[in-house]
């Protein structure tokens, strides 16, 4: 397997803090202004990518603010110049023709830095209460498979006629296509068998939830072995980082967040009720105590600066190219990571890793 140079990204804070909502060091804030400043600061610190999750309502507590992903992505595209911008998308919420048009718009505003993250949904009320209906887990993936086939071909400038179970698109072409490359990148987040089949057939990068190295290596081996029509699949990992000078300091910071996160228990109980029990991602996350979403600290990036840098190298050797990171308090810890960890990791990497590389280059 060819392992590409490492890239580091940050999760935007579209629904506020990632580890614990009631943290005196990070008051609740999911505003556009905060997210704008966060991503602009991340770019200045050298981060390569940002992931903007998509939820129409806050998935933890519906009366809390939730930033809209696609309008934020377009605005961030105009305000930044180097960082890759990935916006998540749940197929049932947008017709594929409309979504492909939006994606190409942001691709060109960003001058070739845009990507979509196809996600399958787990929060039942988000669809149910809108009257869309919440199809069964594998039926959602079957719909997503048709949907991405249409989006992908339209994004690449093809004049498309497509007739499937869900879509009937005739002689459709979108102009302009990407002015910078064949099309925006396609990431896929999801761990179940249909998610793996879908990313092997239609994705450029598979996003894996934070979990121990051996588990991640097993997932990569499974999906990398699947036949593909195009270039090899690439891999990204979500992880929550707690790095300090010493391991004891990091453990204390972890304990602080773990204790604070217990205050969110009532909110988490509601979230559990709303979650599709077949979502494999949620089953993975129940395996260990952790803070952060999408696996969070289960990836093991908690420790001294040297330990965290070494673990990142381990994941990189297993095939992870992009680390999509969470912190709390986010701004300060994101800065610490850029100053303490990224230089350590780069110093241990082969020479190629030290070279600048264009965000999201194919
Ligand atoms: C990196 C990553 C990002 C995700 N972002 C979102 C998101 O923005 N919105 C959402 O509803 N679900 C998101 N998900 C969850 C997936 O949509 C999906 O529901 C979940 O992985 C369950 O699917 P599975 O059974 O295939 O694991 C994300 C998952 C991953 C791994």
């Amino acid at each position: 397997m060819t392992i590409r140079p490492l890239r580091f990204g940050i999760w935007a804070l579209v629904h506020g803090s990632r580890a614990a909502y009631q943290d005196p060091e990070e008051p609740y804030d999911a505003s556009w202004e905060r997210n704008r400043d966060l991503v602009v600061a991340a770019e200045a610190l050298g981060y390569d990518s940002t992931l903007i999750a998509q939820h129409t309502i806050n998935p933890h507590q519906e009366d809390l603010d939730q930033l809209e992903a696609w309008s934020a992505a377009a605005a961030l595209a105009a305000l930044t110049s180097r960082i890759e911008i990935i916006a998540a998308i749940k197929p049932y919420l947008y017709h594929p023709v409309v979504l492909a048009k939006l994606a190409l718009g942001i691709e060109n505003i960003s001058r070739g830095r845009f990507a979509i993250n196809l996600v399958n949904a787990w929060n039942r009320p988000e669809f149910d209460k809108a009257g869309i209906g919440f199809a069964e887990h594998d039926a959602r993936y079957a719909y997503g498979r048709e949907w991405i086939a249409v989006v992908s071909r339209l994004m690449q400038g093809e004049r498309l006629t497509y007739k499937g179970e869900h879509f009937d698109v005739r002689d459709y072409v979108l102009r302009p296509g990407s002015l910078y490359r064949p099309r925006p990148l396609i990431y896929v987040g999801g761990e179940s068998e249909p998610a793996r089949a879908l990313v092997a057939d239609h994705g450029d990068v598979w996003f894996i939830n934070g979990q121990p190295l051996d588990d991640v290596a097993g997932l990569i081996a499974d999906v990398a072995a699947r036949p593909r029509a195009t270039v090899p699949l690439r891999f990204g990992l979500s992880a929550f980082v707690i790095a300090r000078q010493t391991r004891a300091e990091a453990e204390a910071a972890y304990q602080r967040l773990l204790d604070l996160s217990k205050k969110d228990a009532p909110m988490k109980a509601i979230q559990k009720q709303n979650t599709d029990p077949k979502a494999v991602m949620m089953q993975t996350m129940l395996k260990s105590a952790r803070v952060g979403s999408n696996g969070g600290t289960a990836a093991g990036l908690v420790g001294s600066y040297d330990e965290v840098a070494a673990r990142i190298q381990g994941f990189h050797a297993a095939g992870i190219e992009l680390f999509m990171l969470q912190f709390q308090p986010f701004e300060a810890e994101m800065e610490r990571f850029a100053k303490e960890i990224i230089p350590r990791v780069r110093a241990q990497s082969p020479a190629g890793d030290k070279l600048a590389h264009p965000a999201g280059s194919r």
Side-chain angles (χ1 to χ4, degrees), residues 226-249:
R226 297 178 187 224
R228 277 180 52 90
T230 56
V231 292
L233 191 62
R234 295 151 57 180
F235 300 94
L237 184 72
S238 172
F240 192 106
V241 178
I242 305 177
R244 294 290 185 278
Q245 194 79 48
T246 64
R247 185 193 296 187
E249 287 170 271

Side-chain angles (χ1 to χ4, degrees), residues 34-351:
R34 190 220 185 153
N35 277 282
R36 174 197 63 200
D37 294 351
L38 181 79
V39 174
V40 167
E43 181 174 73
L45 286 166
Y47 285 90
D48 305 290
S49 185
T50 186
L51 174 60
I52 310 171
Q54 191 212 11
H55 303 277
T56 45
I57 42 180
N58 186 303
H60 306 293
Q61 191 171 307
E62 62 181 13
D63 58 351
L64 286 173
D65 290 350
Q66 173 69 46
L67 186 70
E68 200 288 305
W70 282 66
S71 49
L76 287 169
L79 290 172
T80 54
S81 58
R82 192 188 55 79
I83 198 165
E84 178 187 36
I85 296 165
I86 312 170
I89 181 69
K90 276 166 274 199
Y92 282 90
L93 294 175
Y94 294 78
H95 190 279
V97 162
V98 178
L99 196 281
K101 185 71 181 163
L102 277 169
L104 286 172
I106 306 175
E107 167 77 352
N108 289 331
I109 293 170
S110 69
R111 304 175 74 87
R113 293 179 288 127
F114 187 61
I116 69 172
N117 184 30
L118 177 58
V119 293
N120 177 50
W122 50 268
N123 184 23
R124 179 180 283 279
E126 184 181 33
F127 286 9
D128 258 353
K129 288 164 93 172
I132 296 168
F134 197 71
E136 190 273 332
H137 182 274
D138 290 8
R140 292 201 304 281
Y141 272 108
Y143 183 93
R145 184 172 261 283
E146 272 199 27
W147 185 95
I148 194 65
V150 174
V151 169
S152 179
R153 291 167 68 183
L154 287 174
M155 285 199 308
Q156 113 199 335
E158 198 178 319
R159 177 177 293 279
L160 181 68
T161 295
Y162 177 96
K163 176 113 178 85
E165 196 185 326
H166 301 287
F167 306 110
D168 182 8
V169 178
R170 272 159 281 141
D171 196 28
Y172 222 98
V173 65
L174 299 176
R175 290 290 179 270
S178 173
L179 303 173
Y180 302 91
R181 53 186 177 170
R183 59 160 171 75
L185 291 192
I186 299 171
Y187 289 72
V188 177
E191 237 173 276
S192 56
E193 174 50 39
R196 297 178 199 195
L198 188 143
V199 73
D201 288 344
H202 293 285
D204 300 307
V205 189
W206 188 33
F207 259 136
I208 300 173
N209 291 300
Q211 49 202 298
L213 176 58
D214 286 352
D215 295 347
V216 170
L219 291 171
I220 291 177
D222 174 81
V223 177
R226 297 178 187 224
R228 277 180 52 90
T230 56
V231 292
L233 191 62
R234 295 151 57 180
F235 300 94
L237 184 72
S238 172
F240 192 106
V241 178
I242 305 177
R244 294 290 185 278
Q245 194 79 48
T246 64
R247 185 193 296 187
E249 287 170 271
E251 289 294 340
Y254 171 65
Q255 198 55 51
R256 184 189 84 86
L257 289 173
L258 202 57
D259 291 344
L260 280 173
S261 73
K262 291 186 184 134
K263 295 188 179 179
D264 297 335
M267 179 189 295
K268 291 209 176 118
I270 295 171
Q271 188 188 335
K272 199 170 166 207
Q273 272 174 15
N274 290 340
T275 299
D276 176 4
K278 288 195 180 157
V280 173
M281 170 181 99
M282 300 303 178
Q283 295 157 17
T284 303
M285 286 200 259
L286 290 176
K287 281 194 211 153
S288 60
R290 53 164 188 101
V291 296
S293 73
N294 296 83
T297 50
L301 300 188
V302 177
S304 70
Y305 298 147
D306 289 333
E307 284 169 336
V308 171
R311 285 178 201 149
I312 287 171
Q313 290 291 356
F315 281 116
H316 188 214
I320 296 294
E321 162 218 329
L322 173 62
F323 288 82
M324 194 52 69
L325 302 174
Q326 305 177 356
F327 308 93
Q328 189 164 330
F330 210 103
E331 286 81 352
E333 293 303 317
M334 160 179 102
E335 191 171 339
R336 183 202 299 272
F337 185 90
K339 296 205 164 129
E340 299 289 351
I341 308 294
I342 295 179
R344 278 176 167 81
V345 175
R346 299 249 188 259
Q348 295 163 16
S349 294

